[in-house]
Amino acid sequence: MNYGERLRILREKHELTQAEVAEYLKTTQSYYAQYENNRRPIPFERVVELARMYNVSIDYIAGFTDDISRKPK
């Protein structure tokens, strides 16, 4: 599963629209949609913001693990 699919699944799980996530990221819905559709590489800073927003690890978004839980430090 690629990062775009993970982002879509997380967004839907949290019952958010692309426009709502885009607003959080201070971008447009169409620009954010390109992340979910793998038409635009997602900058690392955006991955960090989304990991914080969804309370998941960066590794989960990147597809390095299927463990959605964020481990406490």
Side-chain angles (χ1 to χ4, degrees):
M1 185 179 310
N2 60 50
Y3 70 84
E5 292 173 288
R6 299 249 175 167
L7 293 176
R8 180 185 54 76
I9 288 167
L10 286 167
R11 179 178 57 75
E12 290 174 350
K13 179 179 176 188
H14 287 84
E15 298 180 350
L16 297 168
T17 65
Q18 286 183 343
E20 290 170 323
V21 177
E23 183 178 336
Y24 176 81
L25 296 174
K26 297 178 178 58
T27 191
T28 65
Q29 179 275 327
S30 62
Y31 203 91
Y32 173 77
Q34 292 179 49
Y35 297 150
E36 284 193 12
N37 294 318
N38 294 301
R39 292 192 182 127
R40 179 178 298 276
I42 187 167
F44 181 73
E45 295 81 15
R46 298 279 194 203
V47 174
V48 171
E49 290 177 79
L50 291 167
R52 284 187 183 133
M53 182 175 112
Y54 293 127
N55 196 33
V56 298
S57 71
I58 293 168
D59 286 345
Y60 175 78
I61 292 174
F64 295 132
T65 182
D66 290 331
D67 182 3
I68 197 166
S69 66
R70 189 170 175 190
K71 305 286 190 261
K73 296 193 180 208

